[in-house]
Amino acid sequence: MIHLILLFLGVIFFSGLCSMSEAAVLSLPMVRVRILAEQKRRHSRPLLFLKEHMGMTIATIVILNNSINIIGSIFIGQQIAERFGNQWLGISSAALTFTIIVVSEVIPKTIGKRYKTTISLLSARPLWVLVWLFHPVVTF
């Protein structure tokens, strides 16, 4: 049971991070990013790269977020079916879908927009690495 709870919390957490980063980077104006880079704020250079390559940035975040949601849901559904039977699969899927929408999408995007500068700077380096890793897939 602990395994199932940790899997559920992991999906919600990582999906929320993707949503929050997406909203923060999208809502931060390019002028503000350039000012941050001129001020040599920490992680402003990777953030400037992400803003200059928004297509690749958004594609990477969307691929990652959807992969987390889909693969996580498959594993959670499998665990539910094994432990409680197939009759609980529909109810658990509905609950998971609702939770992902509210807790991993709406709330993190609201937070991301509200604290866009701080979150953009904090997420710039990991996003930059992910964009580099996903580059062959995104530009295909």
Side-chain angles (χ1 to χ4, degrees), residues 50-87:
L50 294 173
K51 288 296 283 187
E52 288 174 344
H53 300 88
M54 267 323 274
M56 289 192 325
T57 302
I58 295 304
T60 299
I61 294 171
V62 168
I63 290 169
L64 185 63
N65 197 8
N66 282 316
S67 297
I68 290 168
N69 291 340
I70 293 166
I71 294 169
S73 296
I74 289 169
F75 283 125
I76 290 170
Q78 177 190 16
Q79 293 293 314
I80 293 287
E82 284 179 8
R83 287 197 164 86
F84 305 108
N86 288 334
Q87 66 271 19

Side-chain angles (χ1 to χ4, degrees), residues 36-60:
L36 292 169
E38 287 174 7
Q39 295 173 343
K40 298 187 187 318
R41 291 278 302 270
R42 189 172 184 192
H43 305 302
S44 61
R45 287 289 174 200
L47 180 59
L48 183 60
F49 174 86
L50 294 173
K51 288 296 283 187
E52 288 174 344
H53 300 88
M54 267 323 274
M56 289 192 325
T57 302
I58 295 304
T60 299

Side-chain angles (χ1 to χ4, degrees), residues 96-116:
L96 181 61
T97 301
F98 178 78
T99 305
I100 286 174
I101 290 170
V102 175
V103 179
S104 294
E105 293 291 333
V106 175
I107 294 171
K109 284 184 180 180
T110 303
I111 293 168
K113 183 158 180 5
R114 171 70 175 93
Y115 301 102
K116 58 186 163 245

